[in-house]
């Protein structure tokens, strides 16, 4: 953010409204184990993807980049003011004490659960801070806190069609502003990429080093990556005309999809306990919208992103809370996409559990994506659109 363009309010929330409306993971239905959870929404204004604790200096253009400090402050508020510390001391989710039986209990299911979730820059912030937050809670609490991550639309690519992406270049520049050290970054990543520390805040290289369990959501055709690549080609109106008539954008979409799915397959093979969800929509971010609650892929046709996260939680921490099944909305399993998968098959992989993706020709949208024009479309509207298309 340019402080001149923002009237001096870059890296500040002073010009924000007092309230906002948001859905998705923040509005889980009664059938979900996430229903009724305490929710903290942390809007993004630090301009550092929640990675830095850098104070204003000439090196930072006299701007503060305090995203990691904001996370620490919120975590401390939860522990000290909102009862999280008391819950960990008693071993009960309701903060009560049952005497000797609880004091001697090591039942993991009794520990509080903290889900650290983020989308886009916030998701990359979760990626960088997830293990750090888990270790902080382990060190500060008596019985511990179960920590789980939900990373939405975080996959960035170093190159597309042989060209270095703006995302790689901006990360290299940003890494000079951030406090990248072995204390703040996974020690193994720090050691492997000691001469290129920017890779430890770049998802293509960092994801495999995370130790805390998580679910990763990300489109094979992430709109953010496509726009980044298009900017490399288009520098004038004439470029835009020529680009529209060429195949380079289509080739880039195909390369983005193939690379993204390849990264996720590699990740799942290395960390089989993780949950991966990758639709083929040409869009960016899901967890805040209705898509998180009612979207399905054509390779599965029954598991929504919400359910995928819940399955990941069950795998990581055991039995989920009872669900009121009748309270859940129907998913978008309408007839044009009845589970018959078609399209380009990725390289063979040996796992089936916990990997959900659209089977499409690389670079093309397919499945329910075609009926989502924007993130605000509801499940009912999608059903109506599908029925109209059939007619």
């Amino acid at each position: 953010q340019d402080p001149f363009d923002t009237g001096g309010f870059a890296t500040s929330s002073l010009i924000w409204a007092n309230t906002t409306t948001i859905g998705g993971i923040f509005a889980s239905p009664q059938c979900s184990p996430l229903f009724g959870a305490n929710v903290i929404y942390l809007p993004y204004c630090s301009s550092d993807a929640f990675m830095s604790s850098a104070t204003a200096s000439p090196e930072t253009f006299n701007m503060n980049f305090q995203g990691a400090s904001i996370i620490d402050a919120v975590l401390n508020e939860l522990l000290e003011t909102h009862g999280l510390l008391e819950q960990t001391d008693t071993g009960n989710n309701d903060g009560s004490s049952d005497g000797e039986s609880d004091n001697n209990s090591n039942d993991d299911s009794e520990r509080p659960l903290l889900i650290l979730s983020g989308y886009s820059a916030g998701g990359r912030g979760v990626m960088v801070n997830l293990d750090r937050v888990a270790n902080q809670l382990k060190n500060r609490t008596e019985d511990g806190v179960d920590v789980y991550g939900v990373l939405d639309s975080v996959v960035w690519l170093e190159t597309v069609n042989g060209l270095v992406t703006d995302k790689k270049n901006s990360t290299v520049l940003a890494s000079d502003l951030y406090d990248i050290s072995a204390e703040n970054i996974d020690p193994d990543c720090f050691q492997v990429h000691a001469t290129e520390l920017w890779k430890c805040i770049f998802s293509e290289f960092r994801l495999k080093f995370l130790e805390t369990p998580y679910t990763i959501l990300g489109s094979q055709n992430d709109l953010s990556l496509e726009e980044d690549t298009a900017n490399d080609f288009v520098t004038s109106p004439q470029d835009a005309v020529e680009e529209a008539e060429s195949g380079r954008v289509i080739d880039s979409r195909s390369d983005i999809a193939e690379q993204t799915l390849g990264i996720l397959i590699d990740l799942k093979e290395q960390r089989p306990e993780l949950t991966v969800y990758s639709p083929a929509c040409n869009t960016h971010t899901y967890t805040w919208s209705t898509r998180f609650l009612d979207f399905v892929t054509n390779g599965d046709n029954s598991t929504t992103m919400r359910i995928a996260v819940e399955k990941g939680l069950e795998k990581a921490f055991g039995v989920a809370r009872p669900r009121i099944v009748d309270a859940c909305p129907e998913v978008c399993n309408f007839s044009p996409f009845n589970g018959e998968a078609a399209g380009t098959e990725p390289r063979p992989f040996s796992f089936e559990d916990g990997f959900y993706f659209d089977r499409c020709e690389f670079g093309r949208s397919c499945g329910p994506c075609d009926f989502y024009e924007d993130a605000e479309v509801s499940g009912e509207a999608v059903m109506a659109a599908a029925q109209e298309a059939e007619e």
Side-chain angles (χ1 to χ4, degrees), residues 186-198:
D186 182 274
D188 291 335
C189 186
F190 189 85
Q191 183 176 4
V192 171
H193 299 299
T195 60
E196 297 178 293
L197 288 180
W198 64 270

Side-chain angles (χ1 to χ4, degrees), residues 132-296:
R132 189 176 69 86
V133 167
N135 288 330
Q136 281 189 15
L137 288 170
K138 181 179 179 180
N139 294 332
R140 290 188 62 181
T141 60
E142 180 177 326
D143 294 328
V145 175
D146 290 329
V147 178
Y148 193 83
V150 179
L151 284 62
D152 177 7
S153 302
V154 302
V155 174
W156 280 12
L157 302 175
E158 183 180 9
T159 63
V160 173
N161 275 357
L163 295 175
V164 174
T165 62
D166 287 342
K167 296 191 184 304
K168 185 261 186 175
N169 291 331
S170 63
T171 301
V172 172
L173 294 173
S175 66
D176 294 333
L177 300 178
Y178 303 158
D179 180 20
I180 300 181
S181 65
E183 181 179 351
N184 294 328
I185 299 297
D186 182 274
D188 291 335
C189 186
F190 189 85
Q191 183 176 4
V192 171
H193 299 299
T195 60
E196 297 178 293
L197 288 180
W198 64 270
K199 290 185 175 180
C200 291
I201 58 173
F202 199 84
S203 52
E204 183 177 353
F205 306 100
R206 176 62 189 278
L207 286 167
K208 63 183 178 182
F209 289 100
L210 295 182
E211 296 180 354
T212 307
Y214 62 91
T215 291
I216 182 168
L217 315 170
S219 177
Q220 300 163 37
N221 303 308
D222 193 301
L223 186 60
S224 175
L225 288 170
E226 181 184 321
E227 290 174 342
D228 177 25
T229 307
N231 289 337
D232 289 333
F233 298 142
V234 179
T235 58
S236 70
Q238 182 59 35
D239 284 344
V241 174
E242 293 176 358
E243 202 52 51
E245 298 173 351
S246 76
R248 284 187 293 181
V249 168
I250 298 299
D251 289 342
S252 294
R253 289 177 181 171
S254 177
D255 190 37
I256 288 169
E258 188 168 4
Q259 280 199 71
T260 299
L261 202 54
I263 288 171
L264 297 175
I265 290 172
D266 284 342
L267 187 64
K268 182 65 174 176
E269 287 179 334
Q270 295 169 17
R271 298 281 305 280
E273 75 279 8
L274 299 180
T275 301
V276 179
Y277 200 106
S278 185
C281 303
N282 186 218
T283 189
H284 182 62
T285 72
Y286 296 95
T287 46
W288 60 276
S289 73
T290 56
R291 299 184 190 198
F292 178 79
L293 300 177
D294 60 12
F295 194 85
V296 295

Side-chain angles (χ1 to χ4, degrees), residues 108 111 113 146-149 212-215 273-275 309-319:
D108 290 350
R111 286 204 297 259
L113 170 66
D146 290 329
V147 178
Y148 193 83
T212 307
Y214 62 91
T215 291
E273 75 279 8
L274 299 180
T275 301
V309 170
E310 293 168 7
K311 288 182 177 180
L313 286 168
E314 278 191 272
K315 186 180 296 184
F317 302 119
V319 180

Side-chain angles (χ1 to χ4, degrees), residues 219-221 278-283 286 291 295-298 305 332 334 337 358 360 364-374 377 382:
S219 177
Q220 300 163 37
N221 303 308
S278 185
C281 303
N282 186 218
T283 189
Y286 296 95
R291 299 184 190 198
F295 194 85
V296 295
T297 63
N298 72 352
M305 298 180 202
C332 299
F334 38 81
F337 311 104
D358 277 329
C360 308
R364 305 288 185 180
S365 293
C366 70
C369 295
D370 297 336
F371 291 94
Y372 277 89
E373 294 184 358
D374 60 63
V377 176
V382 172

